[in-house]
Amino acid sequence: MLKFGVIGAGRLGKIHTMNLLRIPGVKVKVVADLRIEAIKGWADSLDIPEFVSDWHSVINDPEIDAVVITSPTVFHAKMITAAANAGKHVFVEKPLSHDLTSAKKVLNALERTNVKVQVAFNRRFDHNYKKIHDVVTSGQIGKPHFIRITARDPSLPNIEFVKKSGGIFFDFFIHEFDNIRFVTNSEVEEVYAGGNVRWEPEIKNAGDFDTAFAVLKMKCGTLCVIDSSRQAVYGYDQRMEVFGSKGQITSLNDRETNVELKNREAVMIDKPLYDFQHRYTDSFVEEMQDFVRCLSVGNKTPMVTPKDGYEAILIAEAATRSAKENRTIKVDELRGIS
Ligand SMILES: NC(=O)c1ccc[n+]([C@@H]2O[C@H](COP(=O)([O-])OP(=O)(O)OC[C@H]3O[C@@H](n4cnc5c(N)ncnc54)[C@H](O)[C@@H]3O)[C@@H](O)[C@H]2O)c1
């Protein structure tokens, strides 16, 4: 029996806890969250034996094999380091941290431990993106020349969340930065990014964008464009197209049904699945199952490593600097920062 502790029982903490509870041979022994009163009823309803406010008691529990870190990002670096130093395997939500210095410190600290750490870039486990990866990797569309990604949230985030999010490139684009590395199996050479505020002036006051783009040049030569908005009135818009020397592969939005209704006025089809909880349900299940397999099979390593988490942060930092300084940033120039 593998015993887990979960730190942070908000949106992602609840999703991962539910998915862990469905895996045979896994027990969630303890959940830690500062909001004891708000969470207790939920933890009790799942028969989770312990519920605590101080995350240290999860890490110091000798019976715990692995922790899931789903607290706000600002805590990730110190929680990963403490958990790994205590010999616990770690599954941590994206991103690793909000800055290069602490991300590098995490990598250095992990080198001195012997635990398995998976960063939760769940898109790698999504049926559409997995297929794109497999088709591109097998050479079916030849050499990838150009990638276009659209990533739009259905509704604006809470402004308090925006203030602590690390900015749109660290919080939102980071999934796409990882996805591009995954699909091309190449590193990013340079980034040009920019943004604006088209929806909510308070986002500007918080120093962030609600509408943004990033143009990436990969070391393998592939060019990429990502466009993004914190709100789309028709729902969660998640599309990707890879154009190559022998063809093209495209993933469209997933919908409740593929039924089309046609009449004199219009042709109608369901809107995209509304938000990440609905669109990526299966990928959250699969990424956790894969992590548990890593803990059960001695030599299996996590599909998304701390190094992958760090590379995505380098790209996010390059994008953030590019938007601020209005110039192209070479990712390798940031590698020395620690
Ligand atoms: N993979 C994805 O698609 C995805 C989507 C959204 C968020 N995330 C990531 O998941 C993480 C959590 O995001 P969320 O949306 O679930 O946030 P949330 O605010 O819903 O939940 C965070 C929880 O952590 C608790 N918490 C805060 N500080 C704590 C501490 N010191 N000790 C213990 N608990 C503490 C809060 O009380 C809250 O219940 C973030 O890093 C975010 O980037 C990932």
Side-chain angles (χ1 to χ4, degrees):
M1 183 66 76
L2 281 168
K3 290 192 181 145
F4 272 75
V6 176
I7 301 176
R11 295 183 303 174
L12 269 294
K14 287 186 174 130
I15 290 173
H16 293 315
T17 301
M18 300 301 287
N19 290 337
L20 279 170
L21 290 173
R22 291 190 191 106
I23 302 176
V26 167
K27 178 176 175 158
V28 178
K29 180 175 183 255
V30 53
V31 170
D33 198 292
L34 298 177
R35 299 180 302 137
I36 290 265
E37 286 314 312
I39 310 292
K40 192 169 180 344
W42 168 81
D44 285 346
S45 74
L46 298 174
D47 286 334
I48 294 169
E50 288 175 50
F51 184 61
V52 296
S53 60
D54 182 358
W55 60 275
H56 293 93
S57 54
V58 177
I59 286 173
N60 293 329
D61 183 336
E63 284 188 24
I64 293 292
D65 300 296
V67 294
V68 170
I69 299 174
T70 38
S71 54
T73 303
V74 68
F75 298 110
H76 288 183
K78 73 173 166 197
M79 288 178 177
I80 300 168
T81 309
N85 284 339
K88 316 294 182 197
H89 302 293
V90 177
F91 178 98
V92 60
E93 259 308 331
K94 48 60 59 176
L96 265 191
S97 79
H98 282 152
D99 67 279
L100 281 175
T101 307
S102 64
K104 195 65 192 280
K105 275 189 188 157
V106 171
L107 284 197
N108 291 341
L110 290 178
E111 271 177 20
R112 295 188 291 272
T113 70
N114 201 18
V115 296
K116 296 187 180 182
V117 180
Q118 178 162 326
V119 181
F121 283 128
N122 57 301
R123 286 179 179 44
R124 292 192 185 210
F125 297 84
D126 174 67
H127 56 141
N128 287 348
Y129 296 123
K130 223 162 38 182
K131 176 149 188 185
I132 290 187
H133 166 267
D134 292 349
V135 166
V136 172
T137 305
S138 65
Q140 289 177 67
I141 62 153
K143 274 192 187 155
H145 290 184
F146 209 98
I147 299 181
R148 284 205 310 207
I149 293 179
T150 292
R152 299 178 188 142
D153 253 342
S155 57
L156 290 173
N158 176 299
I159 192 67
E160 292 311 312
F161 170 84
V162 171
K163 287 178 189 164
K164 293 178 194 151
S165 70
I168 196 166
F169 298 113
F170 274 87
D171 177 61
F172 197 48
F173 276 68
I174 198 117
H175 277 296
E176 316 311 330
F177 295 152
D178 180 67
N179 213 355
I180 284 170
R181 293 182 60 248
F182 175 56
V183 165
T184 59
N185 196 26
S186 176
E187 299 301 345
V188 175
E189 184 168 349
E190 58 183 43
V191 180
Y192 179 67
N196 212 341
V197 172
R198 305 295 290 161
W199 290 110
E200 175 52 65
E202 278 202 58
I203 291 183
K204 185 171 188 179
N205 297 339
D208 202 1
F209 304 123
D210 59 26
T211 307
F213 68 88
V215 180
L216 284 73
K217 214 183 251 182
M218 308 300 291
K219 290 193 171 167
C220 65
T222 308
L223 305 175
C224 315
V225 175
I226 307 166
D227 81 83
S228 187
S229 175
R230 282 289 196 183
Q231 177 160 262
V233 293
Y234 51 86
Y236 193 41
D237 194 357
Q238 301 279 291
R239 288 171 285 137
M240 183 178 203
E241 174 186 292
V242 186
F243 170 77
S245 56
K246 291 187 188 164
Q248 178 178 302
I249 182 161
T250 306
S251 75
L252 301 174
N253 284 306
D254 280 4
R255 302 164 198 282
E256 199 64 48
T257 74
N258 278 323
V259 173
E260 277 185 357
L261 168 61
K262 301 179 183 181
N263 62 23
R264 224 181 267 282
E265 284 76 38
V267 175
M268 284 168 276
I269 188 163
D270 288 348
K271 290 193 283 191
L273 290 174
Y274 186 71
D275 54 19
F276 76 84
Q277 289 99 323
H278 294 94
R279 169 64 185 82
Y280 288 114
T281 314
D282 293 345
S283 69
F284 290 129
V285 173
E286 297 219 2
E287 67 175 349
M288 192 55 80
Q289 287 176 344
D290 205 59
F291 179 60
V292 169
R293 272 194 294 275
C294 287
L295 306 191
S296 316
V297 179
N299 59 0
K300 179 170 163 50
T301 50
M303 169 98 144
V304 198
T305 63
K307 158 97 166 52
D308 292 315
Y310 179 68
E311 289 296 327
I313 284 179
L314 277 171
I315 305 163
E317 177 69 23
T320 305
R321 288 185 188 210
S322 171
K324 208 170 177 181
E325 299 168 20
N326 192 23
R327 67 182 181 95
T328 299
I329 305 283
K330 289 210 178 289
V331 170
D332 281 347
E333 284 173 14
L334 304 179
R335 283 185 195 281
I337 297 173
S338 60

